[in-house]
């Protein structure tokens, strides 16, 4: 076991550490939805008008092989140039997020990782986020972790995170990560990357059952379940709270009955502050608005909760 495990054991034993990274707060932006009509630049006026310490926008999602990554059908070089320049002009920080539910991001060489980072490198690029949702092989995951360690060694100021699915068992089993998540942790233990953030997707737990979530009044309590997921990761795997982030899906989740309300958002944000978590994020900036009549139950462009005005979730999640 290398630095990651040693550091975790140190925290659990109560010894002093320097694990107090700046807590980052901010949404994901679905690139496929968030560009100006017919253009290449993010159309995020609400976000760009809300500066503050630790505020960040996560660009989602780059897929393919590092150094030759794609953002859907958009020209990668033109997209990078336009948006890096826009964020520099606006004085806003960003994170590049890769993979996602529908795609895979892989990286087989240090040279490819170097090309990838250099394409977006800026004083406003503060991190790389690797969203891994189950279709990568253990070999691909191991290679990606090694390349992430290379990037961290070359650009030490970058925050590196791995976004993973989780349950939030409240039955005493500490059930959380699935096999893919455990593969990522194992790869981190065997690497020199000892300060990676584990970003838990606190969403889509399944039926209201203590095996999967915290149950309140017959439903998965999404606010308390988010905090429980962080506890489970810390207690079962020894990951320091200061290296855990959480990402909620606003309003209606894909699993019917898993619904994040404004009260849930406020509770999970308060829990994150109390625990000193590394980040509080949400999917997504586009969903922080009510749905028009006739919309599907779950939409990429709205949260599905009647009467919750635009921007209310963002305000709840970023309140001091």
């Amino acid at each position: 076991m290398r630095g990651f495990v040693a550091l975790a054991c140190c925290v659990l034993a109560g010894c002093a550490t320097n694990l107090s990274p700046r807590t980052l707060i901010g949404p994901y932006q679905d690139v496929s939805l968030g560009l100006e009509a017919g253009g290449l630049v993010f159309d995020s006026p609400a976000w760009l008008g809300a500066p503050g310490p630790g505020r960040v926008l996560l660009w989602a999602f780059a897929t393919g092989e590092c150094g030759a990554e794609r953002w859907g059908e958009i020209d990668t070089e033109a997209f990078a140039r336009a948006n890096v320049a826009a964020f520099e002009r606006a004085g806003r920080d960003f994170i590049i997020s890769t993979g996602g539910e529908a795609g895979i991001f892989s990286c087989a060489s240090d040279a490819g990782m170097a090309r990838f980072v250099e394409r977006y490198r800026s004083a406003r690029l503060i991190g790389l986020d690797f969203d891994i949702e189950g279709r990568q092989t253990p070999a691909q995951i191991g290679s990606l972790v090694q390349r992430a360690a290379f990037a961290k060694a070359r650009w030490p100021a970058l925050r590196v995170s791995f976004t993973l699915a989780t349950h939030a068992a409240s039955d005493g089993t500490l059930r959380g990560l699935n096999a893919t998540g455990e593969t990522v942790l194992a790869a981190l233990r065997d690497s020199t990357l000892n300060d990676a953030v584990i970003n838990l997707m606190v969403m889509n737990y399944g039926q209201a059952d203590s095996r999967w979530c915290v149950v309140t009044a017959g439903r998965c309590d999404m606010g308390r379940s988010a905090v429980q997921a962080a506890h489970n990761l810390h207690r079962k795997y020894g990951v320091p709270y200061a290296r855990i982030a959480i990402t909620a899906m606003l309003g209606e989740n894909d699993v019917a009955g898993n619904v994040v309300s404004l009260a849930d958002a406020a509770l999970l944000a308060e829990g994150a502050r109390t625990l000193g978590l590394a980040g509080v994020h949400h999917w997504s900036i586009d969903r922080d608005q009510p749905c028009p009549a006739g919309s599907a139950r779950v939409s990429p462009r709205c949260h599905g909760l009647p009467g919750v005005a635009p921007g209310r979730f963002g305000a709840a999640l970023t309140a001091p």
Side-chain angles (χ1 to χ4, degrees), residues 28 163 199-203 245-249 279-283:
Y28 283 78
T163 296
N199 179 31
L200 298 174
M201 291 184 285
V202 289
M203 56 183 80
I246 52 178
T247 296
M249 182 172 176
V280 178
H281 308 296
H282 58 276
W283 183 263

Side-chain angles (χ1 to χ4, degrees), residues 294-310:
S295 297
R297 183 183 67 82
V298 179
S299 168
R301 296 186 180 275
C302 53
H303 52 58
L305 302 186
V308 179

Side-chain angles (χ1 to χ4, degrees), residues 113-122 125 154-155:
M113 178 58 75
R115 287 193 298 273
F116 171 66
V117 176
E118 287 287 358
R119 183 170 285 127
Y120 311 96
R121 194 158 67 90
S122 160
L125 172 65
R154 184 161 176 177
W155 296 283

Side-chain angles (χ1 to χ4, degrees), residues 169-175 210:
S170 56
D171 60 357
T173 62
L174 304 180
R175 184 182 296 107
S210 63

Side-chain angles (χ1 to χ4, degrees), residues 2 18 32 48 56 67 72 99 106 111 126 128 135 137 142 160 162 189 201 213 225 231 243 245-246 280 304 307 319:
R2 296 192 182 180
N18 60 355
S32 69
L48 294 179
V56 65
S106 58
I126 62 171
L128 305 174
R135 293 190 292 159
T137 66
V160 174
F162 290 85
R189 294 185 191 110
M201 291 184 285
C213 62
S225 294
H231 284 314
R243 296 300 179 200
I246 52 178
V280 178

Side-chain angles (χ1 to χ4, degrees), residues 157-248:
L158 286 178
R159 173 191 191 259
V160 174
S161 62
F162 290 85
T163 296
L164 305 174
T166 188
H167 284 114
S170 56
D171 60 357
T173 62
L174 304 180
R175 184 182 296 107
L177 298 182
N178 57 22
T180 297
E182 291 187 334
T183 298
V184 172
L185 285 191
L188 285 169
R189 294 185 191 110
D190 289 334
S191 79
T192 58
L193 188 57
N194 58 17
D195 61 353
V197 170
I198 303 301
N199 179 31
L200 298 174
M201 291 184 285
V202 289
M203 56 183 80
N204 295 318
Y205 298 114
Q207 62 183 346
D209 188 312
S210 63
R211 293 175 297 172
W212 316 124
C213 62
V214 176
V215 180
T216 300
R219 73 174 185 92
C220 277
D221 186 319
M222 301 298 280
R224 288 179 172 80
S225 294
V227 177
Q228 184 68 41
H231 284 314
N232 290 354
L233 183 67
H234 174 69
R235 292 166 181 166
K236 184 172 183 177
Y237 301 102
V239 179
Y241 287 116
R243 296 300 179 200
I244 299 173
I246 52 178
T247 296

Side-chain angles (χ1 to χ4, degrees), residues 55-70:
R55 302 294 177 87
V56 65
L57 186 71
L58 294 93
W59 303 3
F61 292 103
T63 60
E65 178 66 13
C66 61
E69 73 282 354
R70 299 291 300 171

